[in-house]
Amino acid sequence: GATSATSDDSRGGTILPKEQAIEYLSALAKGNDIRTAITAALHLSYAGIALPSEKIVQDGLASGDRTVKAAAARLAGISGDTASITALRVMLSDRAANISAPAARALANLGDKEIIPTLIVMVTERNVEKAAAGALGLVDLGDKETVNLLRAKLKDTDGLSKFRIAADRLTYWTGVGARMSPTVARLLKANPAPEAVAPAEEQAAAA
């Protein structure tokens, strides 16, 4: 028989033609329910469709719902919403991985090299989500030297050693103009780079 304009998937749902699907998602993205709007907008962005309004991202980032906030961060990065950088930097300092990790990925997608020192510290985190976001962000921003250095060292070093390895690269990036957050600066001061103690170690080895 003739094939209908829509077809049913294995779960009994209806698959809409592309044009209708985009129209449907666009309508949801303009709705009043922020969670639904953000989810619809994400699907549109994944398909390369422009957002109906940049206000969706701003409303999502301002939401008290942390799940919505995280989704809005992803949306900001995918859609190229540079107006969200300030809000995303605030999220980056959040202790919770489900907030700081998507913020890190979004800022990296937006090309914000100011966050490189923070990403270097994130790579040393025990939390896998944070560490992965830090590493992926560094790759996105082009700091492959840092990623390769840490990848070679992190597997068999303890937490403090990991931080000191990262501190060496932090020194480089701050030397070329990157700015550290107060938290990163405090951690770096408490855990100096290996070069700070290398001479004494060399003397001990020579004795």
Side-chain angles (χ1 to χ4, degrees):
T3 302
S4 63
T6 62
S7 60
D8 292 336
D9 66 17
S10 60
R11 295 169 296 177
T14 298
I15 301 175
L16 296 175
K18 182 178 179 180
E19 294 76 11
Q20 284 184 255
I22 291 173
E23 183 179 347
Y24 176 67
L25 288 171
S26 296
L28 290 178
K30 296 174 183 176
N32 294 325
D33 183 83
I34 186 62
R35 184 185 286 258
T36 301
I38 288 287
T39 301
L42 273 171
H43 284 295
L44 289 171
S45 291
Y46 291 143
I49 308 298
L51 300 182
S53 169
E54 291 184 358
K55 187 174 182 295
I56 299 172
V57 176
Q58 304 306 319
D59 288 348
L61 293 176
S63 173
D65 184 327
R66 293 171 73 82
T67 300
V68 170
K69 189 183 289 286
R74 289 191 290 273
L75 181 58
I78 295 169
S79 64
D81 187 356
T82 55
S84 300
I85 286 179
T86 299
L88 290 168
R89 285 179 178 174
V90 173
M91 290 176 62
L92 184 63
S93 65
D94 197 295
R95 291 175 179 268
N98 64 346
I99 295 296
S100 58
R105 297 291 292 118
L107 286 165
N109 287 343
L110 294 172
D112 183 14
K113 291 198 172 186
E114 292 287 328
I115 68 167
I116 285 178
T118 301
L119 295 182
I120 292 172
V121 174
M122 287 181 74
V123 173
T124 69
E125 290 273 1
R126 291 183 182 276
N127 182 282
V128 175
E129 187 178 358
K130 279 189 176 184
L136 290 170
L138 290 170
V139 171
D140 287 343
L141 291 171
D143 189 20
K144 295 181 181 179
E145 183 178 349
T146 296
V147 175
N148 291 335
L149 172 65
L150 293 171
R151 182 180 295 144
K153 299 290 186 181
L154 293 186
K155 291 182 180 179
D156 54 5
T157 55
D158 60 30
L160 181 58
S161 296
K162 290 177 183 179
F163 189 90
R164 287 179 172 170
I165 292 165
D168 177 55
R169 291 299 294 164
L170 276 168
T171 300
Y172 166 75
W173 277 104
T174 53
V176 296
R179 290 179 294 180
M180 290 184 286
S181 69
T183 300
V184 172
R186 175 176 55 78
L187 289 171
L188 181 58
K189 183 177 180 180
N191 300 279
E195 284 72 13
V197 296
E201 292 176 349
E202 291 173 358
Q203 291 175 10

